[in-house]
Amino acid sequence: MSKFNPADHIQDLQYFGEFGGVNPSISDSSTYTFLSAKTMFDTFEGNAEGCYLYSRHSSPSNLYLGQALAAMEGTEAANVAASGMGAITPVIMQLCGAGDHVVSSRTIYGGTYAFLKNFAPKFNIQTTFVDITKLEIVEAAITPNTKVLYCETVSNPLLEVADIAALATLAKKHNLKLVVDNTFSPLSVAPAKLGADVVIHSLTKFINGSSDTVGGVICGTQQFIDDLRNVNNGASMLLGPTMDSLRAASIMKNLRTLHIRMKQHSYNASYLAEKFENDGIKTVYPGLKSHPSHEVYKNMINPEYGFGGMLTIDVGSLDKANELMELMQHNNLGYLAVSLGFYKTLFSAPGTSTSSEIPLEEQKEMGLSDGLIRFSIGLDNDIERTYTKMKACMQSLNIL
């Protein structure tokens, strides 16, 4: 990982605007004109390089952003979408058909879980959910109909770590496609370099970083991205999860500061995780030696960007969790809100928010307790000051 530095690949991209601007021009148009009917025909057939037909198919801004994200992940190509789910669902639908099977990590984003558990069966696509950290259990779940092995690099919300290189070997052994959601670990981990076939991000989170838009991206081979865009049978084309050009341009600008932000997110989260653990609070953070997959993750990451900005603590009960989050928000320590990657810290109780789609009995089975609080640690300049204020909140509620 240390030999592949995604921030350098982003920096090396250089686009000139139509009038020499340092930002590429935004084409604020839904449809495009042609000087000849033949060129329109060729564009429909995909044989007119540099020509645009209709913005649901593609637009300059979307292609610029896709190229930058492909460079970041080290893949041949990428296709952006209007949301993270707008990236995840076409991938599954493109790779699977009626009668096919998916093996998925049991701890994944609630929306992804709901799609695989409740919606995909309408198309006769079945999913088996497993503990992704136990390779023998993963392999035992594979059937002759399995087409996809799905996981998150760092899982939402339990922060379990997938051994991507080992899973890639397993996928190749059984002729499966390994699809990895890398939303929690941009820059830190490059799943494609570890053997993943498809890499997905919710651009809404760290990559955009300002909690003002939603977006997604699919990174993979040129052939797979072309298949997704195919006007006759491409899932991304036909399901229509198109990103708006103005949003694509906005995310492109924010992408340029991602390396700076991820370093600070990781530094702050690491500081707080160590403090909380030393205080005796049950803390989960991949950068802690107590994390069961600490060594696996340590060997996967580009150390320059650290162990990420996400951590969890367990305060024992949902009532205590809610009290603490409300008090922290009252003291300007962050927001009681879902999502992640904002400049301010965001905190939520996943069991009643981002993972609420998962039935209670399954939450308990996977270890998602009522008192769990998920933190997306912000870009605080003085993290020691933040910790002191957080600790005072915990003491006032007898959590410490």
Side-chain angles (χ1 to χ4, degrees):
M1 275 299 299
S2 59
K3 295 179 181 177
F4 175 75
N5 196 316
D8 291 347
H9 286 245
I10 295 169
Q11 183 180 339
D12 288 345
L13 291 171
Q14 194 157 315
Y15 301 109
F16 293 94
E18 184 180 1
F19 303 105
V22 295
N23 288 308
S25 301
I26 302 169
S27 179
D28 191 20
S29 185
S30 62
T31 190
Y32 297 84
T33 189
F34 294 88
L35 297 180
S36 74
K38 183 181 184 307
T39 307
M40 178 183 280
F41 172 79
D42 289 342
T43 303
F44 249 117
E45 294 295 304
N47 299 321
E49 186 71 27
C51 292
Y52 300 92
L53 177 74
Y54 183 52
S55 283
R56 180 170 63 79
H57 296 190
S58 66
S59 69
S61 297
N62 287 11
L63 289 176
Y64 289 141
L65 179 58
Q67 288 169 357
L69 292 166
M72 181 187 81
E73 286 296 348
T75 61
E76 292 177 352
N79 190 58
V80 297
S83 69
M85 289 304 295
I88 292 165
T89 53
V91 168
I92 300 299
M93 299 306 289
Q94 191 72 31
L95 293 174
C96 297
D100 288 340
H101 177 250
V102 177
V103 175
S104 170
S105 172
R106 63 183 183 174
T107 58
I108 52 176
Y109 173 58
T112 311
Y113 175 91
F115 175 76
L116 292 172
K117 181 73 178 286
N118 305 325
F119 198 85
K122 294 181 180 181
F123 300 90
N124 195 21
I125 298 169
Q126 306 299 325
T127 301
T128 300
F129 296 94
V130 298
D131 183 343
I132 205 71
T133 66
K134 294 183 169 59
L135 293 175
E136 67 279 4
I137 293 176
V138 176
E139 186 163 25
I142 296 171
T143 75
N145 294 328
T146 306
K147 292 293 190 292
V148 169
L149 183 54
Y150 186 93
C151 68
E152 296 171 349
T153 306
V154 180
S155 76
N156 185 359
L158 297 182
L159 308 186
E160 292 178 344
V161 172
D163 186 340
I164 294 171
L167 291 169
T169 299
L170 193 60
K172 285 176 175 58
K173 176 182 174 182
H174 293 277
N175 196 29
L176 311 178
K177 295 297 184 184
L178 176 60
V179 179
V180 179
D181 183 334
N182 201 36
T183 298
F184 276 26
S185 42
L187 302 187
S188 291
V189 181
K193 295 298 182 182
L194 298 170
D197 296 290
V198 181
V199 182
I200 294 167
H201 282 274
S202 168
L203 302 178
T204 314
K205 314 303 194 299
F206 286 114
I207 288 176
N208 186 52
S210 52
S211 289
D212 59 358
T213 191
V214 293
V217 68
I218 304 159
C219 304
T221 64
Q222 186 66 60
Q223 182 62 59
F224 183 63
I225 299 304
D226 287 346
D227 289 346
L228 285 168
R229 291 173 175 163
N230 189 290
V231 296
N232 295 307
N233 54 24
S236 286
M237 180 67 68
L238 298 176
L239 295 175
T242 309
M243 176 174 279
D244 178 76
S245 292
L246 294 171
R247 289 304 190 187
S250 176
I251 295 170
M252 182 78 163
K253 292 167 190 168
N254 289 345
L255 177 66
R256 295 166 183 157
T257 62
L258 179 62
H259 61 293
I260 301 169
R261 292 185 281 110
M262 287 311 302
K263 291 175 186 178
Q264 192 67 26
H265 283 304
S266 292
Y267 175 81
N268 286 351
S270 179
Y271 181 93
L272 290 177
E274 289 179 12
K275 289 291 188 181
F276 291 157
E277 186 172 64
N278 289 338
D279 287 335
I281 301 172
K282 185 179 179 182
T283 307
V284 176
Y285 179 67
L288 294 174
K289 291 181 179 179
S290 59
H291 191 287
S293 298
H294 171 72
E295 289 300 322
V296 170
Y297 199 53
K298 183 179 178 181
N299 291 326
M300 277 169 45
I301 65 171
N302 185 325
E304 184 177 349
Y305 306 105
F307 289 88
M310 304 299 296
L311 65 87
T312 69
I313 64 172
D314 195 330
V315 297
S317 71
L318 181 59
D319 287 343
K320 279 290 184 191
N322 289 339
E323 281 184 300
L324 177 59
M325 291 187 294
E326 289 169 4
L327 184 58
M328 288 191 296
Q329 180 168 257
H330 178 74
N331 286 314
N332 298 329
L333 287 164
Y335 296 106
L336 203 176
V338 299
S339 200
L340 49 124
F342 194 41
Y343 86 99
K344 288 277 281 187
T345 294
L346 304 177
F347 30 80
S348 61
T352 55
S353 58
T354 54
S355 296
S356 60
E357 297 94 335
I358 302 173
L360 288 175
E361 63 272 15
E362 293 185 34
Q363 290 186 26
K364 290 177 181 177
E365 185 180 330
M366 67 177 61
L368 206 174
S369 61
D370 289 342
L372 193 77
I373 301 175
R374 188 191 76 177
F375 285 82
S376 168
I377 304 302
L379 301 173
D380 307 35
N381 178 60
D382 186 348
I383 196 62
E384 184 177 353
R385 172 177 174 266
T386 299
Y387 164 69
T388 300
K389 294 174 73 174
M390 284 184 173
K391 184 176 181 179
C393 291
M394 294 176 186
Q395 288 172 331
S396 70
L397 297 173
N398 295 317
I399 293 170
L400 282 179

